[in-house]
Amino acid sequence: MSVFTEVKRVEWPKRGEVVFNVIIVFVLALAFSVFFLVVDQTIIGALRWGLGYGYD
């Protein structure tokens, strides 16, 4: 069986599915970046408070 025959048998995703998945990826990337920003800033704040100094 050739590669071309296999490619013809593949059920490719519809345009709507691809768009939906791209939107989900961007939303999740944004959500995780905001989450890690909050966690990072919380840790920095705790260290500044605990050690009594910070990056000024």
Side-chain angles (χ1 to χ4, degrees):
M1 188 172 280
S2 72
V3 173
F4 296 109
T5 306
E6 285 294 323
V7 169
K8 287 180 182 178
R9 293 176 56 194
V10 171
E11 185 177 340
W12 298 101
K14 306 290 185 246
R15 180 181 178 93
E17 293 172 333
V18 173
V19 170
F20 177 76
N21 288 335
V22 167
I23 291 171
I24 291 297
V25 167
F26 277 111
V27 167
L28 287 176
L30 179 64
F32 278 109
S33 65
V34 169
F35 170 75
F36 285 116
L37 173 68
V38 170
V39 169
D40 186 46
Q41 293 301 313
T42 302
I43 292 171
I44 289 172
L47 287 174
R48 285 183 180 174
W49 177 79
L51 298 175
Y53 67 94
Y55 304 105
D56 290 329

